[in-house]
């Protein structure tokens, strides 16, 4: 039986080898408490042979993820392939997140602490300049460690859909795999 996830990894590798910046990213779609859709770009990480996302727990997207359903979309322009995946989520061990957090540049580190102690991510500020000077005066803990709000989630795709635009016939090839207890069930769809 074809392994849909292996196919996804192969295509991402092909795109990465072609220097495609989109190979590192995904669009994460969630639904907020009012049923309104929300979408944003995130770095799609490969962590312990699994897909993972890192974020700050003060962001509204974390509450949305805890509602239980999420989807990611990845378009790889270098090979003209789109993936759409429904995903389940599982928290990454905080010790693993904390280790990776040390590799973040200084400003995102400062912001993670700012979100934790001053105001949450995605909330209103007076202006960009006002925020910048507030961050300049903000004192960070010493030693500098990750705040508990730095979090990560492993993604487990339950549905993977691949749309290939690069078909010589001009007819796009669209396949959907659904995870079942026996493996991946494959369906060909009209594009
Ligand atoms: C290329 C790119 C990569 C990004 N990577 C991340 C990421 O890995 N984690 C993250 O929380 N936000 C990332 N962002 C910012 C998010 O798109 C978003 O603006 C932010 O997380 C606030 O989202 P929220 O409104 O859901 O709180 C990235 C944005 C871009 C454009």
């Amino acid at each position: 039986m074809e392994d849909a996830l292996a196919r996804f990894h192969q295509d991402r590798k092909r795109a990465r080898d072609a220097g495609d910046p989109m190979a590192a990213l995904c669009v994460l779609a969630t639904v907020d408490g009012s049923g309104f859709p929300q979408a944003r770009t995130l770095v799609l990480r490969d962590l312990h042979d699994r897909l993972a996302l890192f974020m700050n727990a003060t962001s509204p997207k974390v509450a949305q993820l805890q509602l239980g359903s999420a989807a990611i979309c990845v378009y790889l322009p270098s090979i003209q392939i789109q993936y759409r995946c429904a995903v389940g989520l599982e928290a990454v061990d905080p010790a693993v997140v904390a280790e990776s957090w040390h590799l973040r540049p200084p400003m995102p580190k400062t912001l993670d602490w700012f979100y934790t102690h001053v105001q949450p991510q995605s909330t209103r500020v007076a202006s960009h300049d006002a925020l910048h000077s507030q961050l300049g005066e903000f004192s960070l803990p010493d030693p500098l460690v990750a705040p508990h709000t730095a979090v990560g989630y492993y993604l487990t795709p339950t549905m993977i859909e691949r749309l290939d635009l690069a078909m010589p016939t001009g007819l796009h090839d669209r396949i959907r795999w659904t995870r079942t207890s026996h493996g991946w069930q494959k369906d060909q769809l009209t594009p």
Side-chain angles (χ1 to χ4, degrees), residues 98-187:
E99 199 184 318
S100 165
W101 188 85
H102 284 292
L103 305 174
R104 303 202 83 195
M107 185 57 85
K109 282 182 174 162
T110 306
L111 279 167
D112 271 332
W113 276 103
F114 183 82
Y115 299 148
T116 310
H117 285 314
V118 183
Q119 69 178 82
Q121 186 175 19
S122 304
T123 53
R124 195 168 174 275
V125 292
S127 68
H128 178 86
D129 289 348
L131 175 61
H132 192 253
S133 57
Q134 203 180 350
L135 288 169
E137 289 156 18
F138 181 69
S139 52
L140 290 165
D142 183 15
L144 185 55
V145 292
H148 69 277
T149 58
V151 294
Y153 291 94
Y154 292 113
L155 306 182
T156 304
T158 52
M159 186 282 295
I160 297 182
E161 193 192 289
R162 179 183 189 272
L163 179 69
D164 188 342
L165 309 185
M167 301 302 288
T169 56
L171 176 62
H172 300 163
D173 181 40
R174 183 173 175 191
I175 300 171
R176 181 183 59 204
W177 291 271
T178 310
R179 195 189 284 275
T180 72
S181 50
H182 312 295
W184 291 100
Q185 179 196 310
K186 181 178 177 181
D187 294 296

Side-chain angles (χ1 to χ4, degrees), residues 25 38 40-45 54-56 59-61 64 104 121-122:
L25 303 173
Q38 301 282 351
R40 76 292 276 160
T41 309
L42 264 69
V43 174
L44 180 59
R45 294 161 192 273
F54 283 1
M55 62 196 76
N56 189 280
S59 157
K61 63 181 151 315
Q64 292 158 20
R104 303 202 83 195
Q121 186 175 19
S122 304

Side-chain angles (χ1 to χ4, degrees), residues 47 50-53 87-93 151-156:
L47 187 66
R50 297 177 72 182
L51 299 170
L53 302 174
V87 292
L89 297 132
E90 187 191 322
V92 175
D93 179 345
V151 294
Y153 291 94
Y154 292 113
L155 306 182
T156 304

Side-chain angles (χ1 to χ4, degrees), residues 2-69:
E2 195 173 11
D3 182 341
L5 204 47
R7 189 82 185 269
F8 177 57
H9 287 302
Q10 278 163 20
D11 283 334
R12 270 183 97 210
K13 181 175 182 326
R14 274 172 66 208
R16 214 178 275 128
D17 291 348
D20 190 336
M22 299 299 282
L25 303 173
C26 68
V27 173
L28 171 71
T30 52
V31 178
D32 70 18
S34 314
F36 196 78
Q38 301 282 351
R40 76 292 276 160
T41 309
L42 264 69
V43 174
L44 180 59
R45 294 161 192 273
D46 295 296
L47 187 66
H48 305 139
D49 291 328
R50 297 177 72 182
L51 299 170
L53 302 174
F54 283 1
M55 62 196 76
N56 189 280
T58 67
S59 157
K61 63 181 151 315
V62 171
Q64 292 158 20
L65 290 174
Q66 284 163 358
L67 295 175
S69 59

